[in-house]
């Protein structure tokens, strides 16, 4: 079985779409955060595939940066989760609608 | 000296750091005993003594010992004075004559943003196409002019603030912000490319916000700060889009390279220039308070008076004019954008002047006067008279700073009173303030042989002689508007002077007892500025051979554009003198009316007029309901019921139409009534209904649920990529 | 290996299997009712993607993925699941009201990307076998090769990333502390 960059891109595309869908449809704050992590992972997959395809290490370096950002994002997101939970006693984002017009 | 250019903004920055740190540290310990977590919150006494009227001098009976007051004074004033000395050193090192022959000096501190973009993309032959941005400071004749008056007026106002803010607990904080402002303003003026200009632009915006909200414990000040910030964001959005456009088109942001490229190869750039210029002008509108983004400036008077003088009259608000003068090559390539600039400028000048007539807060009158004068400057830029516009910027900086500082001195003397209806007869009690205020008022009114007479006259002459190919009749109309506005200016300024200084005292006994002349740190800047308001006009005397020195000084900025001959206009002497005579006549009428109505008649005539035309009076006194309209449409319109706004317009503003029509065409009143009943009401109700449905739609979009927004973002992504795929 | 072929033979089959399981567990993350299950499936997905990285000779990134994601972030997630009451996290409905709209619209929104995938041609450069293990002409390990690029060419972004992490840490502490203060 020969694998070209297109296979990688399709896998990465699907992974990203699943993550995006998760962000759009889930009610649970935590699951939304996890879906965002999935999307970031899809980006990493893309970077690695292109890095290999073009024989350039830059892609790998950038995927390390993406992991860094993801770590920071997870830390802040989880802190927000706890803040949110303490205020609303729930993790349902439907409860967060103070901005409703 | 010229190689010390980098040190000019550095000193105010150091001053900011020292003042800020010392203030923070000295208030940290205090805050803890106070029971607050942070260092702030010790200015509460100002809130306690504040009555309902806006009031900003901290006259509290119990004088606090302000920690490190001496240090704050020395560092705050010293750093700006050093910057001023360095600035003048650099200017005279290069030499005024060299400047007018096109000399400039630039230092590149470091490469800021190196971009390795495909060199071939988006590049037009003749553009720089270098795709990097440096931190470059440059001084040429335009920035030298700005530099000179910014640092000089800045030093004077810092000195003034020592006296004015002397009793304030937040003394150190005030000077920290003021120094930061000077730093940002100097970056704005000295920046050698669009991005550095933008950094300074945002920096002054931030400081403006901080200083408007200086009395942050009072709601109106905090709200005014927020308003200024938000309105400025709208302008900045346009500005940065314009910068993107310039970068995409030229591959560089460096002023010299970009303008040289545009001037050398106008045919390649002209098609894009109208868009870019309009975007840049949106930015200028926000910062320089032009219609419809002027609403923040009158509210900005919630800040301390020296701030109003420095930021909201003399320096920051003129940044938009500076930017347009800087980009004159672009604007000359975009005649349609120029027409927009001229119309907006003229309309703002007239609009703000009419509002100024009915204001009763001494600072509000001056604020609307500032908006009006800025309109003049934009009008000048719009007719291609960039040097004349900058000339008025310079003289305006002196006389408006003098007026504001004088107003501050009056407020100081009155113990915080700002309502001119409760003043009067102050001339004998605070003579130095009175004399300087009188001089500045005479100047702004356009009395012959004072500064603004020359600068305004130069603008009006330029407007009169302007030629718009698209609309040939427009310049004469604009001239009429400018002339009428000049009369209005003279009228409301003398109304202000009369009500404040002449007649008899109308305040309380307590206030009368309190009135006292301000200390020397406040009066010395006033005297210097008044002196400059008299003499600064002589750098641009018309008619005489080589009289227009400032025009010659700024000539190198106006790069000759290939294939576009410079129109040298030599109007006959008789026309020039006629224009001057008209200006003097209109100003005299304005002054006479103000004097006779408010000094002799004790305000009976205006009261009668207000009673006769209640609709007009209400509209003017309420600033044409613009704030209310913005509140309804933008602030609450989308969240609340936006459609209701038009029903209220129907009830208030549109009523003016029948009112006015009835007064003018009393003979045909039945026609007006019928028109009112069927056409106006029908139209307004119809539009209101349509908009109501539309606002309902918008309102439904604001669900407040993040995931809806994320879905819409996905839709936006789809559209962008689809557009890209279709048009690649 | 030329013509842009990245994997052949057994490695290719392995990739297909890993990718299929990773996608399946990603779907499981999104549809699982309990956040604990979601987190465990997410862990599985991370590990499989890390394995795909290693298949691509990106051993260092694969290891970082395992350590940071599987080791760090997942533990954090599980901690938070423990901290908040599990009875509450298992809400009545796991999908919010717009889910049907989103399921229909999202594929449409993402269609152009598939179109790009189908039509875009990459420059036809051959894949160099040892590119990820080379520093200049020397053959070293992947870790050393990455670190040369990271600490030489991307030193400033690297330092910025460390500042970013510091800011994130302070932010997380402040957020957590503030909500604690509110509790008192």
């Amino acid at each position: 079985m020969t694998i070209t960059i297109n296979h990688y891109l399709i896998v990465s595309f699907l992974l990203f779409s699943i993550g995006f869908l998760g962000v759009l449809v889930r009610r649970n704050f935590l699951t939304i955060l996890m879906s965002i992590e999935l999307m970031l992972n899809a980006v990493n997959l893309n970077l690695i595939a292109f890095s290999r395809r073009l024989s350039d290490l830059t892609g790998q370096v950038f995927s390390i940066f993406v992991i860094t950002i993801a770590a920071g994002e997870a830390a802040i997101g989880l802190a927000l989760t706890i803040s949110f939970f303490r205020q609303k006693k729930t993790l349902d984002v439907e409860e967060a609608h103070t901005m409703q017009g | 000296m010229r190689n010390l250019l980098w040190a000019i903004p550095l000193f105010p920055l150091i001053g900011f750091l020292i003042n800020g740190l010392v203030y923070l540290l000295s208030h940290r310990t205090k805050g803890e005993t106070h029971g607050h977590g942070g260092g702030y919150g010790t200015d509460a006494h100002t809130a306690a003594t504040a009555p309902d009227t806006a009031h900003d001098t901290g006259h509290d009976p119990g004088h606090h010992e302000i920690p490190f007051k001496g240090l704050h004074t020395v560092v705050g004033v010293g750093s700006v004075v050093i910057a001023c000395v360095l600035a003048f050193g650099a200017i005279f090192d290069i030499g005024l004559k060299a400047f007018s022959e096109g000399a400039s000096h630039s230092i590149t501190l470091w490469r800021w943003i190196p971009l390795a973009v495909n060199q071939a993309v988006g590049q037009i032959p003749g553009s720089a196409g270098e795709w990097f941005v440096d931190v470059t400071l440059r001084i040429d004749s335009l920035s030298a002019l700005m530099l000179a008056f910014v640092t000089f007026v800045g030093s004077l106002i810092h000195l003034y603030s020592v006296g004015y803010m002397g009793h304030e607990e937040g003394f150190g904080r005030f000077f920290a912000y003021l120094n930061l402002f000077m730093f940002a303003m100097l970056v704005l003026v000295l920046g050698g490319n669009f991005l550095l200009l933008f950094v300074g632009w945002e920096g002054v915006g931030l400081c403006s916000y901080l200083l408007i909200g200086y009395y942050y414990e009072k709601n109106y000040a905090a709200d005014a700060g927020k308003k200024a910030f938000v309105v400025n964001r709208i302008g900045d959005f346009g500005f940065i889009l314009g910068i993107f456009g310039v970068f995409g088109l030229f591959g560089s942001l460096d002023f010299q390279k970009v303008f040289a490229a545009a001037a050398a190869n106008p045919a390649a750039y002209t098609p894009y220039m109208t868009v870019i210029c309009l975007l840049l002008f949106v930015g200028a509108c926000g910062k320089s308070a032009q219609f419809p983004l002027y609403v923040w400036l009158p509210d900005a008077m919630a800040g301390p008076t020296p701030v109003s003088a420095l930021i909201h009259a003399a320096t920051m608000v003129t940044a938009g004019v500076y930017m347009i003068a800087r980009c004159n090559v672009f604007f000359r390539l975009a005649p349609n954008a120029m027409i927009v600039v001229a119309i907006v400028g003229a309309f703002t000048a007239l609009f703000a002047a009419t509002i100024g007539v009915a204001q009763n807060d001494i600072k509000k009158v001056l604020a609307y006067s500032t908006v009006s004068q800025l309109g003049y400057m934009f009008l000048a830029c719009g007719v291609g008279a960039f040097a004349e516009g900058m000339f008025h910027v310079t003289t305006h900086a002196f006389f408006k700073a003098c007026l504001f500082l004088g107003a501050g001195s009056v407020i100081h003397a009155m113990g915080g009173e700002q309502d001119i209806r409760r003043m009067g007869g102050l001339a004998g009690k605070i003579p130095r303030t009175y004399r300087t205020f009188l001089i500045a008022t005479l100047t702004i009114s356009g009395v012959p042989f004072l500064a603004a007479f020359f600068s305004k006259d130069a603008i009006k002459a330029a407007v009169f002689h302007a030629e718009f190919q698209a609309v040939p009749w427009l310049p004469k109309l604009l001239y009429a508007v400018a002339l009428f506005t000049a009369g209005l200016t003279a009228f409301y300024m003398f109304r202000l002077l009369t009500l404040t200084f002449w007649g008899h005292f109308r305040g309380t006994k307590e206030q009368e007892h309190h009135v006292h002349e301000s200390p020397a740190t406040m009066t010395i800047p006033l005297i210097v500025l008044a002196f400059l308001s008299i003499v600064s006009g002589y750098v641009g005397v018309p008619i005489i051979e080589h009289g227009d020195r400032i025009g010659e000084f700024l000539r190198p900025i106006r790069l000759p554009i290939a294939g576009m001959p410079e129109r040298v206009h030599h109007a006959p002497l008789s026309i020039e003198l006629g224009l001057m005579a008209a200006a003097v006549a209109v100003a005299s009428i304005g002054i006479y009316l103000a004097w006779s109505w408010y000094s002799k008649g004790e305000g009976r005539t205006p009261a009668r007029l207000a009673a006769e035309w209640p609709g007009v009076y209400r509209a003017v006194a309420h600033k044409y309901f613009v704030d209310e309209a913005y509140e309804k449409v933008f602030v609450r319109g989308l969240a609340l019921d936006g459609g209701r706004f038009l029903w209220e317009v129907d009830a208030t503003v549109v009523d003016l139409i029948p009112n006015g029509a009835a007064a003018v065409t009393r003979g045909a009143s039945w026609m007006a009534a019928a028109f009112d009943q069927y056409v106006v009401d029908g139209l307004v109700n119809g539009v209101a209904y349509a908009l109501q449905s539309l606002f309902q739609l918008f309102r439904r979009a604001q669900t407040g649920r993040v995931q809806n927004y994320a879905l819409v973002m996905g839709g936006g992504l789809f559209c962008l990529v689809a557009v890209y795929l279709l048009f690649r | 290996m030329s013509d842009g072929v990245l994997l052949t033979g057994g490695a290719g089959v392995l990739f297909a299997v890993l990718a299929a399981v990773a996608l399946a567990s990603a779907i499981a993350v999104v549809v699982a009712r309990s956040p604990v299950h979601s987190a465990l499936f997410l862990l599985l997905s991370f590990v499989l993607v890390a394995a795909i990285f290693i298949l691509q000779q990106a051993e260092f990134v694969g290891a970082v993925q395992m350590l940071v994601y599987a080791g760090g972030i997942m533990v954090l997630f599980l901690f938070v699941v423990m901290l908040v009451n599990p009875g509450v996290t298992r809400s009545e409905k796991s999908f919010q009201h717009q889910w049907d709209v989103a399921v229909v619209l999202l594929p449409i929104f993402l269609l152009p990307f598939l179109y790009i995938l189908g039509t875009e041609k990459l420059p036809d450069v051959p894949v160099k076998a040892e590119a990820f293990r080379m520093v200049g002409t020397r053959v070293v390990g992947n870790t050393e090769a990455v670190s040369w690029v990271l600490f030489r060419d991307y030193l400033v972004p690297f330092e910025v990333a460390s500042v970013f992490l510091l800011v994130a840490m302070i932010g997380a502490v402040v957020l957590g502390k503030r909500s604690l203060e509110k509790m008192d």
Side-chain angles (χ1 to χ4, degrees), chain B residues 13 40 143 147 164 288 293 490 510 621 641 647 718:
Chain B
L13 180 65
Y40 298 105
S143 40
L147 191 63
Y164 191 82
S288 294
L293 298 179
E510 200 182 323
D641 202 347
W647 296 102
F718 170 76

Side-chain angles (χ1 to χ4, degrees), chain B residues 163-186:
Chain B
Y164 191 82
M165 302 297 285
H167 312 299
E168 294 279 336
E169 188 71 25
F171 192 75
R173 185 161 60 91
F174 181 79
F175 271 98
Y177 290 165
L178 220 51
N179 281 347
L180 184 63
F181 168 78
M182 285 307 287
F183 165 71
M185 190 68 204
L186 290 170

